[in-house]
Amino acid sequence: MSHFLAALGIAHPLIQAPMAGTSTPALAAAVCNAGALGSIAVGAGSVPQAREAIRATRALTARPFNVNVFCHRPARADAAREAAWTRYLAPWFAESGATPPPALREIYTSFAVDDAMLAMLVAEKPAIVSFHFGLPPDAFVRALKHAGIVLLATATTLDEARQCVAAGVDAVVAQGYEAGGHRGVFDPAHDARIGTLALTRTLARRIERPVIAAGGIMDGAGIRAALALGAGAAQLGTAFVACPESAADAAYRAALLAPDARTAVTAAISGRPARGLVNRFVAEIDGANAPAIPDYPIAYDAGKALHAAAKARGSGAFGAQWAGQGVALARALPAADLVAALIAEMRG
Ligand SMILES: Cc1cc2nc3c(=O)[nH]c(=O)nc-3n(C[C@H](O)[C@H](O)[C@H](O)COP(=O)(O)O)c2cc1C
């Protein structure tokens, strides 16, 4: 697949993962300007915010970049489930002198039902758009392709990858269970939890599209290993979180670089399974006695409110500090230096 990225004018088989809340136009542009593919994530924002992020990235780089959207099944509100959840969270809010929001909202819209976001993307024409959590309707795919946009989508199984190919995406991100951030699994009730090595190799051998390996890759040796498995590129998220260009706050950076940092998958923060640093949210709230978690992203409304309340008192213990299993290899380097180091290591 290096020709797949090379055809877009991208020198290196390296993608900086889209990271909602953490990647920024400055990060993506620095990666693009260093010869890799940078990504911004607009899935958790409004159409005007997404347009602004695209234009801000364009102002910083003339190179192609990737714009990521979320294609989850729209949330199903359930007032009783949401009330039970906020009652359950109340003691943790109380520690910060706060109370949970009186009602939880679906804090952002799935791209799969967002005609306005589609129209904006077709008008702005970023070089690349990527889908996470599933696929949009066929008509959306057709409209994006008609606009000349290259399409990527995350798959966590061979079946999901085949759906991506059937839908017409140009390359598939093989996201292993090691990966930081939200699992791209289409239906979280059926998560096969396949590792990056097995998934990358399976997709490289079984699908007729370039494969992008993602999950636990932190250095050039990891990228080389992914390429040896048949991937055309590697997508790294956690490796870029500590870059000064990211939006990670001080507590997140400190936790990421702590010598005892470890990760776990939880659905308690947002309503969908995601891998993050084991902080108090992950360790205490995702307990056996927790009630049913509201749908994604309704649960995230409460999760973000709890983080904000604790942060106002100086605690980062309830942040969504997403990170992958390779976290102990994280480096705090400017993005251009990190890309240069990764490529030098990859070449050995
Ligand atoms: C902080 C963070 C946020 C993420 N947000 C997104 C996102 O918005 N969209 C997306 O497609 N993937 C997201 N991911 C997942 C990445 O695309 C990728 O699968 C993952 O970072 C690879 O594993 P690694 O973190 O071990 O490199 C996120 C990952 C992290 C670490």
Side-chain angles (χ1 to χ4, degrees), residues 290-316:
I293 302 168
D295 263 16
Y296 174 90
I298 293 175
Y300 221 172
D301 197 12
K304 286 175 187 279
L306 178 56
H307 170 53
K311 193 170 171 175
R313 294 278 180 104
S315 166

Side-chain angles (χ1 to χ4, degrees), residues 7-65:
L8 296 163
I10 297 158
H12 307 309
L14 169 63
I15 301 175
Q16 165 255 313
M19 297 183 280
T22 298
S23 53
T24 60
L27 177 63
V31 169
C32 292
N33 291 338
L37 176 60
S39 309
I40 54 172
V42 303
S46 65
V47 173
Q49 287 168 333
R51 185 187 296 111
E52 196 182 311
I54 291 171
R55 292 184 177 174
T57 310
R58 259 200 191 122
L60 297 171
T61 185
R63 308 259 175 107
F65 58 89

Side-chain angles (χ1 to χ4, degrees), residues 10-329:
I10 297 158
H12 307 309
L14 169 63
I15 301 175
Q16 165 255 313
M19 297 183 280
T22 298
S23 53
T24 60
L27 177 63
V31 169
C32 292
N33 291 338
L37 176 60
S39 309
I40 54 172
V42 303
S46 65
V47 173
Q49 287 168 333
R51 185 187 296 111
E52 196 182 311
I54 291 171
R55 292 184 177 174
T57 310
R58 259 200 191 122
L60 297 171
T61 185
R63 308 259 175 107
F65 58 89
N66 170 34
V67 178
N68 179 255
V69 291
F70 295 149
C71 297
H72 53 283
R73 188 195 70 191
R76 284 192 285 238
D78 179 336
R81 186 151 56 113
E82 289 142 23
W85 185 245
T86 48
R87 261 198 314 279
Y88 170 70
L89 291 181
W92 286 282
F93 274 92
E95 282 184 31
S96 302
T99 50
L104 301 181
R105 293 179 312 114
E106 182 179 14
I107 50 177
Y108 42 81
T109 307
S110 173
F111 176 66
V113 294
D114 195 344
D115 293 328
M117 189 71 89
L118 174 67
M120 185 279 291
L121 289 173
V122 166
E124 291 291 327
K125 292 189 187 25
I128 302 165
V129 164
S130 63
F131 308 129
H132 203 50
F133 302 141
L135 294 160
D138 286 345
F140 280 37
V141 171
R142 276 198 303 277
L144 293 167
K145 287 179 86 101
H146 187 70
I149 298 170
V150 171
L151 301 179
L152 314 180
T154 304
T156 63
T157 62
L158 177 57
D159 178 60
E160 289 173 356
R162 285 183 167 140
Q163 292 181 53
C164 294
V165 172
V169 307
D170 298 290
V172 177
V173 178
Q175 188 198 38
Y177 197 56
E178 298 92 322
H182 280 93
R183 309 246 328 115
V185 58
F186 290 14
D187 176 2
H190 299 102
D191 188 349
R193 303 181 178 181
I194 301 170
T196 305
L197 190 152
L199 185 64
T200 299
R201 186 66 186 148
T202 301
L203 300 199
R205 290 194 50 191
R206 292 282 181 263
I207 67 166
E208 302 289 317
R209 288 288 186 287
V211 174
I212 299 158
I217 302 171
M218 299 295 290
D219 62 11
I223 300 170
R224 211 167 48 231
L227 301 181
L229 291 170
Q235 177 163 307
L236 282 61
T238 305
F240 286 94
V241 173
C243 293
E245 295 92 341
S246 93
D249 66 16
Y252 187 2
R253 286 171 197 275
L256 187 88
L257 298 171
D260 59 348
R262 59 196 181 85
T263 71
V265 172
T266 180
I269 295 178
S270 73
R272 260 186 167 265
R275 182 177 294 281
L277 298 171
V278 178
N279 58 18
R280 287 192 59 202
F281 208 134
V282 178
E284 297 174 21
I285 295 179
D286 195 13
N289 59 345
I293 302 168
D295 263 16
Y296 174 90
I298 293 175
Y300 221 172
D301 197 12
K304 286 175 187 279
L306 178 56
H307 170 53
K311 193 170 171 175
R313 294 278 180 104
S315 166
F318 296 95
Q321 296 167 332
W322 307 132
Q325 288 183 335
V327 62
L329 302 177

